[in-house]
Structure formats: structure tokens, C-alpha cells
Short mmCIF file of all heavy atoms in Angstrom, two decimals:
data_model
loop_
_atom_site.label_atom_id
_atom_site.label_comp_id
_atom_site.label_asym_id
_atom_site.label_seq_id
_atom_site.Cartn_x
_atom_site.Cartn_y
_atom_site.Cartn_z
N LEU A 409 24.06 57.30 -29.51
CA LEU A 409 22.93 57.42 -28.59
C LEU A 409 21.77 56.51 -29.02
O LEU A 409 21.10 55.89 -28.19
CB LEU A 409 22.47 58.88 -28.49
CG LEU A 409 21.37 59.15 -27.49
CD1 LEU A 409 21.82 58.78 -26.08
CD2 LEU A 409 20.97 60.66 -27.55
N ARG A 410 21.60 56.40 -30.32
CA ARG A 410 20.52 55.54 -30.85
C ARG A 410 20.74 54.08 -30.46
O ARG A 410 19.79 53.37 -30.07
CB ARG A 410 20.49 55.70 -32.37
CG ARG A 410 19.24 55.14 -33.06
CD ARG A 410 19.30 55.48 -34.55
NE ARG A 410 18.09 55.13 -35.24
CZ ARG A 410 17.91 55.28 -36.56
NH1 ARG A 410 18.89 55.82 -37.31
NH2 ARG A 410 16.77 54.94 -37.12
N ILE A 411 21.98 53.63 -30.55
CA ILE A 411 22.30 52.26 -30.15
C ILE A 411 22.09 52.03 -28.66
O ILE A 411 21.47 51.03 -28.25
CB ILE A 411 23.74 51.94 -30.55
CG1 ILE A 411 23.87 51.80 -32.07
CG2 ILE A 411 24.23 50.62 -29.86
CD1 ILE A 411 25.29 51.70 -32.56
N LEU A 412 22.56 52.94 -27.83
CA LEU A 412 22.36 52.79 -26.39
C LEU A 412 20.89 52.76 -26.03
O LEU A 412 20.48 51.95 -25.18
CB LEU A 412 23.02 53.95 -25.63
CG LEU A 412 24.57 54.01 -25.61
CD1 LEU A 412 25.04 54.95 -24.51
CD2 LEU A 412 25.18 52.64 -25.39
N LYS A 413 20.08 53.59 -26.64
CA LYS A 413 18.65 53.59 -26.35
C LYS A 413 17.98 52.30 -26.84
O LYS A 413 17.03 51.82 -26.21
CB LYS A 413 18.01 54.85 -26.94
CG LYS A 413 18.39 56.12 -26.22
CD LYS A 413 17.59 57.31 -26.66
CE LYS A 413 17.85 58.53 -25.77
NZ LYS A 413 17.08 59.74 -26.19
N GLU A 414 18.42 51.77 -27.97
CA GLU A 414 17.87 50.51 -28.46
C GLU A 414 18.21 49.37 -27.49
O GLU A 414 17.37 48.50 -27.22
CB GLU A 414 18.39 50.20 -29.87
CG GLU A 414 17.80 48.96 -30.54
CD GLU A 414 16.32 49.11 -30.87
OE1 GLU A 414 15.84 50.25 -31.06
OE2 GLU A 414 15.63 48.05 -30.98
N LEU A 415 19.45 49.34 -27.03
CA LEU A 415 19.86 48.34 -26.08
C LEU A 415 19.07 48.45 -24.80
O LEU A 415 18.62 47.47 -24.19
CB LEU A 415 21.36 48.46 -25.77
CG LEU A 415 22.31 48.07 -26.89
CD1 LEU A 415 23.74 48.48 -26.52
CD2 LEU A 415 22.26 46.58 -27.16
N ASP A 416 18.85 49.69 -24.36
CA ASP A 416 18.06 49.96 -23.16
C ASP A 416 16.61 49.50 -23.37
O ASP A 416 16.01 48.84 -22.49
CB ASP A 416 18.11 51.46 -22.85
CG ASP A 416 17.45 51.80 -21.51
OD1 ASP A 416 17.36 50.92 -20.63
OD2 ASP A 416 17.00 52.97 -21.36
N LYS A 417 16.04 49.78 -24.51
CA LYS A 417 14.66 49.38 -24.84
C LYS A 417 14.54 47.87 -24.79
O LYS A 417 13.54 47.34 -24.29
CB LYS A 417 14.32 49.92 -26.22
CG LYS A 417 12.98 49.47 -26.75
CD LYS A 417 12.80 50.00 -28.18
CE LYS A 417 11.60 49.38 -28.87
NZ LYS A 417 11.49 49.86 -30.29
N ARG A 418 15.52 47.14 -25.28
CA ARG A 418 15.49 45.67 -25.32
C ARG A 418 16.00 45.04 -24.02
O ARG A 418 16.03 43.82 -23.91
CB ARG A 418 16.31 45.15 -26.48
CG ARG A 418 15.82 45.58 -27.86
CD ARG A 418 16.64 44.97 -28.96
NE ARG A 418 16.28 45.45 -30.28
CZ ARG A 418 16.32 44.67 -31.38
NH1 ARG A 418 16.70 43.39 -31.30
NH2 ARG A 418 16.00 45.18 -32.55
N LYS A 419 16.46 45.90 -23.11
CA LYS A 419 17.06 45.47 -21.85
C LYS A 419 18.23 44.50 -22.08
O LYS A 419 18.42 43.53 -21.35
CB LYS A 419 15.99 44.81 -20.95
CG LYS A 419 14.84 45.74 -20.60
CD LYS A 419 13.95 45.21 -19.54
CE LYS A 419 12.75 46.10 -19.26
NZ LYS A 419 13.14 47.51 -18.92
N MET A 420 19.03 44.80 -23.07
CA MET A 420 20.21 44.00 -23.43
C MET A 420 21.41 44.56 -22.67
O MET A 420 22.41 44.97 -23.25
CB MET A 420 20.43 44.03 -24.92
CG MET A 420 19.36 43.27 -25.72
SD MET A 420 19.58 43.38 -27.53
CE MET A 420 21.12 42.48 -27.77
N TYR A 421 21.33 44.53 -21.35
CA TYR A 421 22.36 45.13 -20.52
C TYR A 421 23.59 44.23 -20.42
O TYR A 421 24.63 44.66 -19.86
CB TYR A 421 21.78 45.46 -19.15
CG TYR A 421 20.58 46.38 -19.19
CD1 TYR A 421 19.39 46.02 -18.58
CD2 TYR A 421 20.66 47.59 -19.87
CE1 TYR A 421 18.28 46.88 -18.62
CE2 TYR A 421 19.57 48.46 -19.91
CZ TYR A 421 18.38 48.08 -19.30
OH TYR A 421 17.30 48.92 -19.37
N HIS A 422 23.50 43.02 -20.92
CA HIS A 422 24.65 42.12 -20.92
C HIS A 422 25.68 42.47 -22.00
O HIS A 422 26.82 42.02 -21.93
CB HIS A 422 24.19 40.69 -21.15
CG HIS A 422 23.58 40.46 -22.52
ND1 HIS A 422 22.31 40.84 -22.82
CD2 HIS A 422 24.11 39.93 -23.69
CE1 HIS A 422 22.05 40.56 -24.09
NE2 HIS A 422 23.13 40.00 -24.64
N VAL A 423 25.24 43.24 -23.00
CA VAL A 423 26.16 43.62 -24.09
C VAL A 423 27.26 44.51 -23.56
O VAL A 423 27.01 45.47 -22.83
CB VAL A 423 25.38 44.33 -25.23
CG1 VAL A 423 26.36 44.87 -26.28
CG2 VAL A 423 24.36 43.39 -25.83
N ARG A 424 28.49 44.14 -23.90
CA ARG A 424 29.65 44.91 -23.44
C ARG A 424 29.84 46.16 -24.27
O ARG A 424 29.81 46.09 -25.53
CB ARG A 424 30.89 44.01 -23.48
CG ARG A 424 32.10 44.63 -22.77
CD ARG A 424 33.28 43.68 -22.86
NE ARG A 424 34.38 44.17 -22.04
CZ ARG A 424 35.65 43.90 -22.23
NH1 ARG A 424 36.00 43.11 -23.24
NH2 ARG A 424 36.58 44.37 -21.45
N LEU A 425 30.04 47.29 -23.63
CA LEU A 425 30.27 48.54 -24.31
C LEU A 425 31.72 48.97 -24.09
O LEU A 425 32.18 49.08 -22.94
CB LEU A 425 29.34 49.63 -23.76
CG LEU A 425 27.84 49.32 -23.74
CD1 LEU A 425 27.07 50.50 -23.15
CD2 LEU A 425 27.32 48.98 -25.14
N ILE A 426 32.42 49.21 -25.15
CA ILE A 426 33.81 49.67 -25.07
C ILE A 426 33.95 50.94 -25.87
O ILE A 426 33.43 51.07 -26.99
CB ILE A 426 34.80 48.59 -25.61
CG1 ILE A 426 34.65 47.32 -24.79
CG2 ILE A 426 36.22 49.07 -25.51
CD1 ILE A 426 35.59 46.21 -25.22
N TYR A 427 34.69 51.90 -25.31
CA TYR A 427 34.81 53.19 -25.93
C TYR A 427 36.25 53.60 -26.12
O TYR A 427 37.13 53.31 -25.27
CB TYR A 427 34.18 54.28 -25.02
CG TYR A 427 32.67 54.26 -24.99
CD1 TYR A 427 32.01 53.33 -24.18
CD2 TYR A 427 31.91 55.16 -25.73
CE1 TYR A 427 30.62 53.32 -24.11
CE2 TYR A 427 30.54 55.15 -25.64
CZ TYR A 427 29.91 54.21 -24.86
OH TYR A 427 28.53 54.20 -24.77
N ASN A 428 36.50 54.27 -27.22
CA ASN A 428 37.68 55.09 -27.36
C ASN A 428 37.18 56.51 -27.56
O ASN A 428 36.57 56.84 -28.59
CB ASN A 428 38.53 54.65 -28.56
CG ASN A 428 39.80 55.45 -28.68
OD1 ASN A 428 39.86 56.42 -29.41
ND2 ASN A 428 40.81 55.08 -27.94
N THR A 429 37.34 57.33 -26.56
CA THR A 429 36.77 58.67 -26.53
C THR A 429 37.81 59.68 -26.05
O THR A 429 38.69 59.35 -25.27
CB THR A 429 35.55 58.70 -25.59
OG1 THR A 429 35.14 60.08 -25.35
CG2 THR A 429 35.81 58.06 -24.26
N ASN A 430 37.68 60.90 -26.55
CA ASN A 430 38.58 61.97 -26.05
C ASN A 430 38.17 62.45 -24.67
O ASN A 430 38.87 63.28 -24.09
CB ASN A 430 38.72 63.12 -27.04
CG ASN A 430 37.39 63.80 -27.36
OD1 ASN A 430 36.56 64.02 -26.50
ND2 ASN A 430 37.20 64.20 -28.63
N PHE A 431 37.06 61.95 -24.16
CA PHE A 431 36.58 62.20 -22.79
C PHE A 431 36.30 63.68 -22.52
O PHE A 431 36.40 64.15 -21.38
CB PHE A 431 37.56 61.63 -21.79
CG PHE A 431 36.96 61.25 -20.48
CD1 PHE A 431 35.96 60.28 -20.40
CD2 PHE A 431 37.38 61.85 -19.30
CE1 PHE A 431 35.39 59.96 -19.20
CE2 PHE A 431 36.79 61.52 -18.08
CZ PHE A 431 35.81 60.58 -18.02
N SER A 432 35.89 64.40 -23.54
CA SER A 432 35.59 65.80 -23.36
C SER A 432 34.12 66.05 -23.06
O SER A 432 33.74 67.11 -22.57
CB SER A 432 36.00 66.58 -24.63
OG SER A 432 35.23 66.14 -25.75
N LYS A 433 33.26 65.06 -23.37
CA LYS A 433 31.82 65.20 -23.23
C LYS A 433 31.24 64.07 -22.39
O LYS A 433 31.69 62.93 -22.51
CB LYS A 433 31.13 65.27 -24.59
CG LYS A 433 31.65 66.35 -25.55
CD LYS A 433 31.30 67.74 -25.02
CE LYS A 433 31.81 68.79 -26.00
NZ LYS A 433 31.52 70.16 -25.50
N SER A 434 30.25 64.37 -21.60
CA SER A 434 29.55 63.33 -20.83
C SER A 434 28.04 63.40 -21.01
O SER A 434 27.32 62.55 -20.49
CB SER A 434 29.89 63.46 -19.35
OG SER A 434 29.44 64.68 -18.83
N LYS A 435 27.56 64.40 -21.73
CA LYS A 435 26.12 64.56 -21.97
C LYS A 435 25.91 64.86 -23.45
O LYS A 435 26.72 65.50 -24.11
CB LYS A 435 25.55 65.69 -21.11
CG LYS A 435 25.68 65.42 -19.61
CD LYS A 435 25.16 66.60 -18.80
CE LYS A 435 25.34 66.33 -17.30
NZ LYS A 435 24.87 67.46 -16.46
N PHE A 436 24.73 64.38 -23.98
CA PHE A 436 24.43 64.60 -25.37
C PHE A 436 22.90 64.56 -25.55
O PHE A 436 22.25 63.63 -25.09
CB PHE A 436 25.07 63.54 -26.26
CG PHE A 436 24.85 63.74 -27.74
CD1 PHE A 436 25.43 64.83 -28.40
CD2 PHE A 436 24.08 62.86 -28.47
CE1 PHE A 436 25.18 65.03 -29.75
CE2 PHE A 436 23.84 63.03 -29.82
CZ PHE A 436 24.41 64.11 -30.48
N LYS A 437 22.37 65.59 -26.19
CA LYS A 437 20.91 65.68 -26.52
C LYS A 437 20.09 65.49 -25.26
O LYS A 437 19.06 64.78 -25.27
CB LYS A 437 20.55 64.62 -27.55
CG LYS A 437 21.24 64.82 -28.93
CD LYS A 437 20.62 65.92 -29.70
CE LYS A 437 21.25 66.02 -31.10
NZ LYS A 437 20.65 67.05 -31.96
N GLY A 438 20.50 66.07 -24.17
CA GLY A 438 19.73 65.98 -22.94
C GLY A 438 19.90 64.69 -22.16
O GLY A 438 19.27 64.50 -21.11
N THR A 439 20.76 63.78 -22.67
CA THR A 439 21.02 62.50 -21.99
C THR A 439 22.35 62.53 -21.29
O THR A 439 23.35 62.88 -21.88
CB THR A 439 20.98 61.34 -22.99
OG1 THR A 439 19.70 61.26 -23.61
CG2 THR A 439 21.28 60.03 -22.29
N ASP A 440 22.32 62.15 -20.00
CA ASP A 440 23.58 62.02 -19.24
C ASP A 440 24.12 60.62 -19.53
O ASP A 440 23.57 59.61 -19.06
CB ASP A 440 23.29 62.19 -17.74
CG ASP A 440 24.57 62.25 -16.90
OD1 ASP A 440 25.57 61.60 -17.30
OD2 ASP A 440 24.59 62.93 -15.87
N ILE A 441 25.17 60.57 -20.30
CA ILE A 441 25.74 59.26 -20.71
C ILE A 441 26.26 58.49 -19.51
O ILE A 441 26.14 57.26 -19.43
CB ILE A 441 26.84 59.46 -21.75
CG1 ILE A 441 26.34 60.25 -22.96
CG2 ILE A 441 27.41 58.09 -22.21
CD1 ILE A 441 25.20 59.59 -23.70
N PHE A 442 26.81 59.17 -18.52
CA PHE A 442 27.28 58.50 -17.31
C PHE A 442 26.17 57.77 -16.61
O PHE A 442 26.33 56.63 -16.14
CB PHE A 442 27.88 59.50 -16.32
CG PHE A 442 29.21 60.11 -16.77
CD1 PHE A 442 29.85 61.06 -15.97
CD2 PHE A 442 29.87 59.66 -17.93
CE1 PHE A 442 31.07 61.59 -16.35
CE2 PHE A 442 31.09 60.22 -18.30
CZ PHE A 442 31.67 61.18 -17.50
N GLU A 443 24.98 58.42 -16.53
CA GLU A 443 23.83 57.76 -15.91
C GLU A 443 23.38 56.54 -16.69
O GLU A 443 23.00 55.52 -16.12
CB GLU A 443 22.68 58.76 -15.78
CG GLU A 443 22.94 59.90 -14.78
CD GLU A 443 22.77 59.49 -13.33
OE1 GLU A 443 22.50 58.28 -13.07
OE2 GLU A 443 22.94 60.36 -12.47
N LEU A 444 23.39 56.65 -18.02
CA LEU A 444 22.95 55.54 -18.87
C LEU A 444 23.89 54.34 -18.73
O LEU A 444 23.44 53.19 -18.76
CB LEU A 444 22.86 56.00 -20.33
CG LEU A 444 22.12 55.13 -21.33
CD1 LEU A 444 20.74 54.78 -20.80
CD2 LEU A 444 21.98 55.86 -22.67
N TRP A 445 25.20 54.61 -18.58
CA TRP A 445 26.14 53.50 -18.41
C TRP A 445 25.86 52.67 -17.20
O TRP A 445 26.20 51.50 -17.15
CB TRP A 445 27.58 54.08 -18.32
CG TRP A 445 28.14 54.55 -19.63
CD1 TRP A 445 27.67 54.25 -20.88
CD2 TRP A 445 29.23 55.45 -19.81
NE1 TRP A 445 28.43 54.89 -21.83
CE2 TRP A 445 29.41 55.60 -21.20
CE3 TRP A 445 30.11 56.11 -18.95
CZ2 TRP A 445 30.41 56.41 -21.76
CZ3 TRP A 445 31.11 56.91 -19.48
CH2 TRP A 445 31.25 57.06 -20.88
N ASN A 446 25.26 53.26 -16.18
CA ASN A 446 24.96 52.55 -14.95
C ASN A 446 24.05 51.34 -15.18
O ASN A 446 24.03 50.42 -14.35
CB ASN A 446 24.30 53.48 -13.92
CG ASN A 446 25.31 54.25 -13.08
OD1 ASN A 446 26.40 53.70 -12.79
ND2 ASN A 446 24.99 55.45 -12.71
N LYS A 447 23.31 51.31 -16.29
CA LYS A 447 22.37 50.20 -16.53
C LYS A 447 23.09 48.95 -17.06
O LYS A 447 22.52 47.87 -17.04
CB LYS A 447 21.30 50.65 -17.52
CG LYS A 447 20.38 51.74 -16.99
CD LYS A 447 19.23 51.99 -17.97
CE LYS A 447 18.25 53.00 -17.41
NZ LYS A 447 17.07 53.15 -18.29
N PHE A 448 24.28 49.10 -17.57
CA PHE A 448 24.96 48.00 -18.26
C PHE A 448 25.91 47.25 -17.33
O PHE A 448 26.51 47.80 -16.43
CB PHE A 448 25.68 48.53 -19.50
CG PHE A 448 24.75 48.99 -20.58
CD1 PHE A 448 24.24 50.28 -20.60
CD2 PHE A 448 24.34 48.12 -21.57
CE1 PHE A 448 23.38 50.74 -21.56
CE2 PHE A 448 23.48 48.54 -22.56
CZ PHE A 448 22.99 49.84 -22.55
N ASP A 449 26.03 45.94 -17.63
CA ASP A 449 26.87 45.08 -16.80
C ASP A 449 28.35 45.36 -17.00
O ASP A 449 29.14 45.20 -16.04
CB ASP A 449 26.61 43.60 -17.12
CG ASP A 449 25.18 43.18 -16.88
OD1 ASP A 449 24.49 43.83 -16.02
OD2 ASP A 449 24.71 42.22 -17.51
N SER A 450 28.73 45.74 -18.22
CA SER A 450 30.17 45.90 -18.48
C SER A 450 30.39 47.08 -19.45
O SER A 450 29.97 47.02 -20.60
CB SER A 450 30.74 44.62 -19.11
OG SER A 450 32.13 44.78 -19.42
N VAL A 451 31.01 48.10 -18.94
CA VAL A 451 31.35 49.28 -19.73
C VAL A 451 32.82 49.60 -19.49
O VAL A 451 33.25 49.70 -18.36
CB VAL A 451 30.50 50.49 -19.36
CG1 VAL A 451 30.85 51.70 -20.27
CG2 VAL A 451 29.01 50.19 -19.46
N SER A 452 33.57 49.74 -20.55
CA SER A 452 35.00 50.07 -20.48
C SER A 452 35.26 51.34 -21.25
O SER A 452 34.94 51.43 -22.43
CB SER A 452 35.86 48.94 -21.04
OG SER A 452 35.84 47.81 -20.20
N ILE A 453 35.84 52.31 -20.59
CA ILE A 453 36.13 53.59 -21.22
C ILE A 453 37.62 53.75 -21.40
O ILE A 453 38.37 53.86 -20.43
CB ILE A 453 35.59 54.76 -20.35
CG1 ILE A 453 34.13 54.54 -19.97
CG2 ILE A 453 35.80 56.09 -21.06
CD1 ILE A 453 33.21 54.36 -21.14
N GLY A 454 38.04 53.73 -22.62
CA GLY A 454 39.42 54.01 -22.96
C GLY A 454 39.55 55.48 -23.33
O GLY A 454 39.12 55.91 -24.41
#
């Protein structure tokens, strides 16, 4: 979450985000991760 917020702060939305996740969670510490992903140009969820 710290990394995503830093990228958001710097508006580095061109950075590609790739995940390997068990896909059991979509929210953390009051943040909807799905909503945050909408800001980035390229997000891949494995």
C-alpha cells in the first residue's frame, strides 16, 4: 500500500503493476485496491 500511495503521490501512473495474489482480498486499511488500480495505465493481476 505504501508503494501504491507513493506512486499515486508522484503521479507515476505509467509504472506497470504486476501481481501474484491469492485474490482473497480487495481492500486494505480502508483503501479499495480495485479503485486505486483505476489510476494506473497498466495493471496485470495473476
Side-chain angles (χ1 to χ4, degrees):
L409 186 59
R410 195 174 186 182
I411 289 170
L412 291 197
K413 288 188 172 182
E414 185 68 25
L415 290 170
D416 187 25
K417 175 184 169 184
R418 299 183 184 215
K419 300 190 183 305
M420 293 176 65
Y421 303 126
H422 65 281
V423 174
R424 191 180 187 204
L425 308 179
I426 300 181
Y427 289 79
N428 184 264
T429 168
N430 60 40
F431 206 62
S432 63
K433 304 292 181 182
S434 63
K435 298 177 182 179
F436 182 68
K437 298 284 184 177
T439 298
D440 189 328
I441 304 300
F442 288 178
E443 292 283 1
L444 196 51
W445 286 342
N446 274 326
K447 294 187 176 186
F448 291 86
D449 299 336
S450 179
V451 182
S452 291
I453 309 303

